[in-house]
Amino acid sequence: FASTQIEKKEREILSTIDFKVVAVSAYDFVLTFISDLEINNAEEIEELHLKKYLNSYKETCIFLSKLMTLDEKFSCIFAALKATATVILAYDIMRSSSKTLTGDMETFFEQWLQFLAQSSDFDMELITTTYNKLSGLYKNVETAKKGGVDEFNLSNSIDIDYY
């Protein structure tokens, strides 16, 4: 086949499947979730002094969403489901690591996460199962890091300051 023939066939194929080849990743969903949180809750974020926490939270979410790409068991899970589990686990990591997160801040995050989970098309059991898989993967990386074994070479990307 000539290159022009191949390009013509590619256009026919893409037209037939209505250009539905584009895939959205958990990373894309996570960034959308967090952007939505920041835009729709700007006043509360300002009042609660959450900006620095949100930066650390976002870094954790990005790390977790990238971490999932290293384990094939996550490849068959919907990106939106992985992202939902990611934002919940990132909050749990932040909450357990922060020394200055107040009760009001925790309530704010928990209400947002509850809203996000309820707004999704996934039941809580499926979200919990995905959360547990991701949590297990994260714990394995943390354990390996502490033991001096860094199978994925991630040791520099886990150190996030939670204040």
Side-chain angles (χ1 to χ4, degrees), residues 9-112:
K9 286 291 181 191
E10 285 177 347
R11 278 193 292 282
E12 286 176 29
I13 291 169
L14 290 173
S15 292
T16 302
I17 61 173
D18 197 25
F19 290 89
K20 294 181 181 173
V21 183
V22 177
V24 179
S25 68
Y27 173 80
D28 297 320
F29 275 103
V30 162
L31 292 183
T32 301
F33 292 163
I34 293 173
S35 294
D36 181 65
L37 170 70
E38 292 173 326
I39 291 168
N40 291 318
N41 299 283
E43 285 182 32
E44 292 89 343
I45 290 168
E46 183 72 29
E47 287 173 19
L48 294 169
H49 307 288
L50 279 173
K51 191 64 180 164
K52 67 180 179 182
Y53 295 96
L54 276 175
N55 291 335
S56 298
Y57 178 70
K58 187 185 295 186
E59 288 179 33
T60 305
C61 287
I62 291 169
F63 172 77
L64 292 172
S65 64
K66 290 183 177 185
L67 182 63
M68 282 185 284
T69 65
L70 301 174
D71 192 326
E72 67 184 35
K73 71 181 166 200
F74 290 98
S75 63
C76 62
I77 300 172
F78 291 111
L81 176 58
K82 291 188 283 190
T84 303
T86 297
V87 295
I88 295 169
L89 179 58
Y91 168 70
D92 286 345
I93 292 168
M94 181 177 71
R95 186 181 54 170
S96 66
S97 303
S98 175
K99 296 167 184 60
T100 59
L101 200 63
T102 68
D104 288 343
M105 293 173 176
E106 288 183 11
T107 300
F108 171 80
F109 270 107
E110 289 166 6
Q111 287 174 346
W112 175 69

Side-chain angles (χ1 to χ4, degrees), residues 135-150 158:
S135 178
L137 179 61
Y138 173 76
K139 287 175 184 170
N140 286 344
V141 169
E142 280 289 293
T143 301
K145 180 184 165 195
K146 289 176 184 168
V149 178
D150 194 357
I158 300 176

